[in-house]
Amino acid sequence: MTLTLTVSDDVRALAPGFTHVAIEAHGLVNGPSSPASSELLDDAARRLAVRLEGRAPHEDPHMAAWRETYTAFGSKPSRTRNSAEALAKRALSEAGLPRVNLLVDLYNAVSVAHLIPVGGEDLDRVEGGMRLIRATGEEDFVTVAGGEETVEHPDAGEVVWRDDVGVTCRRWNWRQGPRTRLTEGTASGVFLLESLAPMPVAEVAAAAAELAELLARFSPGADIAVRAPESSA
C-alpha cells in the first residue's frame, strides 16, 4: 500500500476500541450505476433487515457505540449520524438507497449489509498521506452549498480525516468533501472500513474481504491490496 494512513494519539484515546481496514486499488473501472450494482444495494437492504430483526439502526450495539463516540467529541449523533447509520435509515425507508456510481454503490452495499461505516477516496486527488485527527478548528473543508463552492471549518476537537491540503471528511465519517470523492473517472481509490467495539475485528475483516471481492469482480485485472486491521485497543 502506497498511501500512508495514520490515527492520532488523541483520537485513539477518545475511541480505544477503534479499528480500521484499508483497501487500496489501482486500475479500477468506474461508471454509472448498473442493474448489477443496484441489485447489490437491494440485497444489502434485505441483509440489513435480517440483521436488525425489527430494531431501528441506532439500536444496534455498533451504531450505539458510534453515537457515544460522536457525543464524546461534541457532535449530536441524532443530527449528524455516522455514514452507516444514515445509509441504513435510507435503506429501510420507502425511498431506498441512492444509486451514485458503480464504486460508490459497491462500498455502500457493504456498509449497509454489515452496518460498518465505509468511505472511498480518489487516490489521484489525495495530497500526501491521510490522517485521522482532532481538529483545531482552523482546517479548511471545501464543500458545495447552494451550488457554490464554499469553505467551512470543523469545530475545535471534532474528529476529521484530512490530507496535506485540508479536511476530506468531517465528523469522522459523516460528510465527505467533493474534492476527493469517487467519480466516474476514478481509476485509483482507497476504501476505508471503520468500526468500534463491541464489533469483532473479524467482522470488519470479513466486510473488507467482501468489498475487495466486489472490486475485483467489477474491475477485472485491478491491483487490489487489503491492509490488515489496525486497532487502537
Side-chain angles (χ1 to χ4, degrees):
M1 177 168 284
T2 58
L3 178 72
T4 300
L5 291 163
T6 58
V7 178
S8 69
D9 289 342
D10 51 0
V11 171
R12 292 183 185 278
L14 177 74
F18 174 59
T19 298
H20 67 277
V21 181
I23 302 170
E24 186 170 325
H26 300 272
L28 294 169
V29 179
N30 202 7
S33 299
S34 68
S37 70
S38 185
E39 175 54 34
L40 284 172
L41 291 169
D42 290 340
D43 182 62
R46 290 189 288 267
R47 291 166 66 185
L48 172 68
V50 171
R51 183 188 192 95
L52 290 174
E53 298 180 320
R55 294 172 297 166
H58 71 268
E59 295 175 305
D60 176 85
H62 189 215
M63 295 298 94
W66 276 107
R67 284 193 165 216
E68 290 175 9
T69 300
Y70 268 48
T71 300
F73 66 77
S75 183
K76 294 182 178 179
S78 59
R79 293 180 58 190
T80 55
R81 296 177 175 88
N82 76 79
S83 64
E85 184 183 331
L87 277 175
K89 281 181 66 68
R90 293 193 67 170
L92 298 174
S93 72
E94 248 183 66
L97 288 165
R99 273 58 172 167
V100 181
N101 60 52
L102 280 175
L103 292 177
V104 175
D105 289 354
L106 298 187
Y107 78 69
N108 278 350
V110 170
S111 176
V112 168
H114 291 269
L115 263 186
I116 294 173
V118 184
E121 307 281 355
D122 188 321
L123 277 174
D124 292 328
R125 302 184 181 195
V126 173
E127 299 292 339
M130 291 184 61
R131 306 183 292 284
L132 187 65
I133 64 165
R134 299 197 71 173
T136 64
E138 298 179 357
E139 297 87 352
D140 288 343
F141 177 70
V142 180
T143 186
V144 175
E148 298 291 331
E149 185 175 286
T150 185
V151 178
E152 298 177 355
H153 302 283
D155 299 326
E158 181 183 325
V159 178
V160 299
W161 279 101
R162 67 158 301 159
D163 64 3
D164 289 353
V165 171
V167 173
T168 57
C169 194
R170 285 198 60 186
R171 293 183 183 145
W172 208 314
N173 46 41
W174 166 63
R175 188 171 69 176
Q176 183 185 31
R179 173 171 61 89
T180 57
R181 69 176 45 151
L182 303 179
T183 68
E184 291 184 18
T186 296
S188 295
V190 60
F191 302 85
L192 193 65
L193 298 88
E194 302 178 296
S195 72
L196 295 171
M199 176 167 277
V201 173
E203 183 160 355
V204 189
E210 181 177 333
L211 179 53
E213 189 277 328
L214 289 172
L215 293 171
R217 187 196 312 172
F218 281 78
S219 294
D223 181 10
I224 299 167
V226 181
R227 178 179 283 184
E230 295 187 23
S231 176
S232 298

